[in-house]
Each structure stands twice: as structure tokens, then as C-alpha cells.
Amino acid sequence: MTRHIEMFPTDADRRVLEAVRQQQGLETLDQAAEFVLRRALRKGTARMAMPRGPRAVGRRG
């Protein structure tokens, strides 16, 4: 099932999407928006999977 969401981007959003569209060789602003969203999701999930640093092993307290 495909969902369609209507967006109303600002002029600044359109300029950014146009730059992404040209840089990535995409045909439409919708494709650019999808590219940006997918990239943000990939980066966000990668950050969640990163280790948070060294932890002490053994008893607490």
C-alpha cells in the first residue's frame, strides 16, 4: 500500500531540493525530497546503532 503525502515546501525548501536534484541528477523535486528523507533515515539509524563508549565491567556501586 502506497501512501501519498502532500507537502507545501517554502521557497527556501524548494531551493535546497532543486540543488539536491541537480547534484544527484534526479528528474523531479519529489525524487530529491525522497533522497533527502532516505539519507536522513539511514544516518539516524546508523547513529542509534553506534556504541556509546567504554563501560565499566563488574559490580555497580
Side-chain angles (χ1 to χ4, degrees):
M1 180 173 147
T2 302
R3 292 184 181 182
H4 179 76
I5 298 173
E6 192 68 35
M7 286 186 356
F8 300 101
T10 64
D11 288 337
D13 294 336
R14 283 191 189 96
R15 283 192 297 273
V16 169
L17 290 175
E18 180 61 28
V20 169
R21 185 191 70 75
Q22 290 177 8
Q23 182 183 35
Q24 297 300 319
L26 302 170
E27 294 180 13
T28 67
L29 291 183
D30 286 340
Q31 290 174 335
E34 184 175 348
F35 175 85
V36 170
L37 178 62
R38 286 178 186 260
R39 184 164 185 236
L41 288 172
R42 278 195 306 270
K43 284 185 170 259
T45 56
R47 264 180 277 175
M48 288 185 344
M50 287 181 159
R52 298 186 188 263
R55 292 182 180 85
V57 178
R59 268 185 0 173
R60 291 186 184 175

